[in-house]
Amino acid sequence: MYDTLLQLPLFQGLCKDDFTTIIEKVKFHFQDFKQGESIVKQGTSCNQLIFLLNGKITLKVVDSLNGYTFHEIIPAPHVIEPYSLFGMSTSYTGTYLAETDVKVLTIDKSFLYDELNHYEIFRLNYLNILSNRIQIAHQKLWSTHLQTLEEKFYRFLSDRSLRPQAEITLQITMEDLARLIHETRINVSRMLNNLQAQGLIQLKRKEMYIPALDKLAKSLI
C-alpha cells in the first residue's frame, strides 16, 4: 500500500519515513465504490482531498445553460479537483462516478492545514498541480489561431477535458454544437461524419464518442 500511495500526485517524492509519520498523524479514510456509484456530485462543497487508488472513474459535467453533458473517463492514480479546495468557489465542478469498481482515499481539508502543509514536498506537489492547471488554461487562452472546423471541434473538447489522451462521450445535438462553435449545422454534420469515417469518433443520436482525444489532435497536424 505504501508504494501505491507514494505514486499519488501529491505524495510523489516523499520518503517512506515522512509518509509513515503522516499516516500516524493524519486520518486516512479508505472507501470502496461499485461500478456506477457516485463518489461526489457536481455543485457540492469540496472539503476533502479524494485520491483514486485503482480502477477508473467518469467525470460528468452537465451544462444545463447550453444543453449538453460532457463525460470523461479517468484512470488511477488521480486526485479529484484539488484546485476546488480553495478560492472563490469551493464546489465540485463535476460529478464523479465509478466507471469500474474503485477504491478511494479521502483526507479532510483540516489535515491539509494542520499536518500535510508542514512537508515541503507536499507543498511543492500541490503548487505544481495548481500551476500546471493555470499554465495550460493560459496557453489555451492565447492559442486562438483556429482555422478549420475540425480544429474548433477539437478545441471545444480539449478545453473541457482533464487529459490530452481523454476518452470522451459528449451528449449534445448538432444544432447546439454548431451554435457553440459558431458554425452551421450542415457544416458540423459533414465534419463529424468525416471524422467518423476516419475512425476518430463514433456518432449516435444526440451523442458522440471520442475514444482518444490525442488521436483526434494528431489528425489535425
Side-chain angles (χ1 to χ4, degrees):
M1 180 60 73
Y2 269 137
D3 292 336
T4 299
L5 295 177
L6 288 172
Q7 291 176 15
L8 296 173
L10 288 172
F11 295 133
Q12 288 180 359
L14 280 172
C15 66
K16 287 193 175 182
D17 288 342
D18 284 343
F19 198 70
T20 300
T21 304
I22 289 173
I23 291 176
E24 292 172 351
K25 296 181 178 180
V26 178
K27 290 184 179 180
F28 284 14
H29 302 280
F30 294 92
Q31 190 172 359
D32 296 315
F33 290 89
K34 296 294 185 182
Q35 182 180 19
E37 289 185 337
S38 175
I39 300 170
V40 294
K41 293 185 178 180
Q42 183 175 347
T44 58
S45 179
C46 178
N47 51 26
Q48 58 187 350
L49 288 171
I50 304 177
F51 300 90
L52 175 66
L53 300 179
N54 58 34
K56 297 180 180 180
I57 57 176
T58 297
L59 163 63
K60 176 183 177 183
V61 181
V62 178
D63 187 335
S64 55
L65 180 63
N66 291 301
Y68 69 88
T69 302
F70 180 92
H71 302 258
E72 178 179 351
I73 295 178
I74 304 168
H78 181 75
V79 56
I80 296 178
E81 295 194 24
Y83 43 83
S84 293
L85 273 174
F86 304 98
M88 294 181 63
S89 176
T90 55
S91 299
Y92 289 105
T93 60
T95 295
Y96 293 81
L97 306 165
E99 177 68 17
T100 64
D101 290 352
V102 301
K103 180 183 289 292
V104 303
L105 161 67
T106 62
I107 302 175
D108 289 341
K109 186 176 181 178
S110 60
F111 288 108
L112 189 152
Y113 291 129
D114 299 336
E115 298 296 340
L116 295 177
N117 197 43
H118 297 315
Y119 295 88
E120 183 179 10
I121 292 295
F122 181 88
R123 294 198 305 271
L124 288 173
N125 287 340
Y126 198 94
L127 286 172
N128 280 333
I129 288 175
L130 299 182
S131 297
N132 287 339
R133 182 174 175 82
I134 293 170
Q135 290 164 8
I136 290 171
H138 186 267
Q139 290 170 1
K140 289 178 178 179
L141 179 65
W142 287 99
S143 300
T144 57
H145 305 294
L146 304 178
Q147 297 180 353
T148 68
L149 181 50
E150 288 81 4
E151 287 174 336
K152 290 182 180 180
F153 176 58
Y154 169 76
R155 178 65 177 270
F156 180 87
L157 297 172
S158 65
D159 280 352
R160 290 155 179 80
S161 64
L162 298 180
R163 302 169 59 249
Q165 310 86 359
E167 179 182 352
I168 295 168
T169 299
L170 181 64
Q171 294 173 321
I172 193 170
T173 65
M174 286 194 186
E175 290 85 354
D176 284 334
L177 178 59
R179 173 176 55 82
L180 289 168
I181 62 176
H182 307 291
E183 283 288 347
T184 65
R185 184 197 181 284
I186 188 66
N187 285 343
V188 167
S189 177
R190 289 171 179 166
M191 179 269 295
L192 293 175
N193 280 285
N194 181 49
L195 292 177
Q196 180 170 243
Q198 297 177 55
L200 297 171
I201 68 172
Q202 297 173 20
L203 298 176
K204 297 181 181 179
R205 178 174 171 78
K206 298 182 180 180
E207 181 178 299
M208 54 200 71
Y209 171 67
I210 301 88
L213 186 60
D214 55 336
K215 291 185 179 179
L216 178 59
K218 290 177 183 178
S219 73
L220 304 179
I221 300 175

